[in-house]
Amino acid sequence: MSTVEFSSVTKRFDDGTVALDSLSLKVEEGEFLVLLGPSGCGKSTALRVLAGLEEASSGDILIGGQRVNDLPPGARDLGMVFQSYALYPHMSVAENLSFGLRRGQQRLAISEAEIGERVNSAVDLLDLSEVLDRRPRELSGGQQQRVAIGRALVRRPKVLLMDEPLSNLDAKLRNRMRLEIRRLHERHGTTTVYVTHDQVEAMTLADRIAVLNGGRLQQHARPLDAYHRPANSFVASFIGTPPMNLIEGEARSNRFHAGELSFPLPAHLSAHSARAFYGIRPEHIRRLDSAEHPEAVPAQVLGRENLGSVSVTHLDALGHRITASERTDDDPDASGQITVSLTHSSAILLEN
Ligand code: ATP
């Protein structure tokens, strides 16, 4: 186990694309860090630079406190699992698991018995004993994925790197494997850096999330902190389904004003006076019985999507599109004019 640190790492490709812009980030020993962001934000590049598959244009990469910029990938003691599992098709599961160790047997100075022991322990951990003699094409997607993880784990790496390892799986299997990866991490405790664009994966797997956009770090925080206290409007709109509502306007005299829309600020924000985005999560918007209520905001229901236990209601509040998430058992009106409150104790103001 080891710490991992990016210290002012910039990656500029030959064509001038800046994929990482002065990234500084520390992953603690035994921590599960998720690099999260939209396509093209630089997350795979960060992983590749850490693995030594790309060279940083400037800045330092440290593993266990040691600068590794000049070490080749094989000498960095990392285990890697990629989106395409890249298993050897002509080898059995058992051979796939042991191949990396056999190839490096002399360099790693490990005995045949030690190889057997490490493979057995991965087989138990990942529940692969039934399929040891099969070739990769005879395995399900989830089994292939477990073999790929097992192959990385048998090396007992200091750090485990995973790049969108679940994206080839169907939704059901993805949910199951997500739980398994987290469970595995809890048992193994290997420092892990995991790349995904899927905020649900990030929220459920991570000890901490690093949100990237345009090669820049937006926020580095525990998942629930990023959810409840996003650092900026990018994070607010990227984390959460449906995303946080952001209304652009002005906080003034205990109220928030946005065109014709005006409502009281919650107590914790009432002292603010600035142009800002007012951020409220869809689940915090409440329907009111009376248009005379001091918090009343009139809203037109534009449509309602029933997701089972919750429904997403799309509203037009005096020219502002907002979404509310409501329990389906409440079964409120799905159309017409309603009155809502946008004043909530967990709402936030973000600079614009
Ligand atoms: P995705 O989720 O789509 O894989 P990502 O966040 O992992 O995206 P990267 O693959 O790190 O993004 O790419 C970051 C930026 O760098 C993108 O604009 C990409 O087009 C660019 N890029 C990546 N590799 C190269 C390269 N070899 N040469 C030039 N530009 C590159």
Side-chain angles (χ1 to χ4, degrees):
M1 276 203 285
S2 274
T3 55
V4 167
E5 198 170 344
F6 293 85
S7 174
S8 303
V9 173
T10 292
K11 174 66 190 178
R12 181 179 284 103
F13 285 105
D14 291 345
D15 66 358
T17 305
V18 178
L20 289 179
D21 190 353
S22 199
L23 176 66
S24 289
L25 185 67
K26 185 167 182 193
V27 191
E28 298 298 341
E29 192 158 310
E31 191 175 37
F32 197 120
L33 177 91
V34 173
L35 288 171
L36 173 69
S39 179
C41 72
K43 50 198 188 305
S44 295
T45 303
L47 207 66
R48 291 173 61 77
V49 168
L50 171 57
L53 301 171
E54 298 281 359
E55 207 179 323
S57 310
S58 61
D60 290 331
I61 304 282
L62 294 97
I63 298 177
Q66 282 193 317
R67 185 177 180 276
V68 296
N69 291 48
D70 304 322
L71 288 185
R76 295 192 186 193
D77 202 359
L78 307 165
M80 289 183 246
V81 182
F82 293 107
Q83 180 177 356
S84 63
Y85 312 128
L87 301 175
Y88 302 109
H90 56 287
M91 290 185 195
S92 68
V93 167
E95 288 163 339
N96 263 285
L97 288 172
S98 60
F99 180 73
L101 291 179
R102 288 236 153 73
R103 197 175 44 180
Q105 195 167 0
Q106 273 188 328
R107 184 173 48 82
L108 300 169
I110 45 175
S111 65
E112 197 58 31
E114 168 83 14
I115 292 177
E117 195 202 303
R118 288 194 193 186
V119 168
N120 286 342
S121 130
V123 166
D124 285 348
L125 197 65
L126 294 156
D127 202 10
L128 289 168
S129 55
E130 309 272 298
V131 295
L132 276 181
D133 297 328
R134 295 205 200 153
R135 305 258 179 276
R137 75 182 131 76
E138 296 161 336
L139 301 175
S140 70
Q143 287 166 332
Q144 290 183 31
Q145 202 255 358
R146 277 184 272 156
V147 178
I149 294 179
R151 201 174 50 172
L153 285 180
V154 291
R155 300 189 48 215
R156 308 262 159 98
K158 283 194 205 147
V159 182
L160 192 58
L161 309 183
M162 301 201 198
D163 193 350
E164 308 246 11
L166 304 184
S167 52
N168 286 342
L169 306 179
D170 66 40
K172 199 167 151 202
L173 196 51
R174 214 160 45 222
N175 290 347
R176 218 185 75 209
M177 289 309 299
R178 213 167 58 210
L179 282 178
E180 287 194 22
I181 288 178
R182 183 66 221 183
R183 201 172 48 97
L184 200 67
H185 177 72
E186 272 153 25
R187 283 172 65 184
H188 239 255
T190 309
T191 310
T192 302
V193 182
Y194 184 106
V195 161
T196 184
H197 63 271
D198 180 337
Q199 47 103 18
V200 177
E201 264 176 42
M203 292 296 288
T204 50
L205 283 171
D207 292 318
R208 283 196 293 172
I209 297 178
V211 184
L212 292 179
N213 188 32
R216 296 216 176 125
L217 182 63
Q218 306 292 308
Q219 186 165 13
H220 180 206
R222 299 197 174 280
L224 284 179
D225 288 340
Y227 185 82
H228 290 300
R229 286 180 290 284
N232 56 33
S233 53
F234 177 81
V235 178
S237 53
F238 197 75
I239 294 183
T241 326
M244 181 178 258
N245 293 287
L246 293 173
I247 303 169
E248 189 173 4
E250 189 177 4
R252 173 169 30 94
S253 314
N254 298 340
R255 293 182 72 81
F256 194 78
H257 305 271
E260 284 178 49
L261 181 63
S262 170
F263 54 88
L265 285 167
H268 69 291
L269 300 175
S270 61
H272 289 257
S273 190
R275 284 209 63 79
F277 286 105
Y278 181 82
I280 178 165
R281 290 274 171 209
E283 62 271 27
H284 294 150
I285 294 177
R286 278 179 308 128
R287 293 198 186 211
L288 297 174
D289 292 335
S290 159
E292 305 307 317
H293 193 286
E295 295 172 9
V297 167
Q300 178 73 34
V301 177
L302 302 175
R304 197 152 188 265
E305 293 166 294
N306 191 331
L307 304 179
S309 60
V310 293
S311 297
V312 176
T313 307
H314 298 270
L315 301 167
D316 181 325
L318 298 172
H320 298 269
R321 285 291 290 268
I322 53 179
T323 51
S325 166
E326 302 171 296
R327 283 166 41 132
T328 304
D329 353 328
D330 294 346
D331 200 24
D333 290 341
S335 61
Q337 189 75 27
I338 61 168
T339 305
V340 294
S341 167
L342 303 178
T343 306
H344 193 274
S345 58
S346 63
I348 56 170
L349 286 176
L350 292 168
E351 278 178 30
N352 67 351

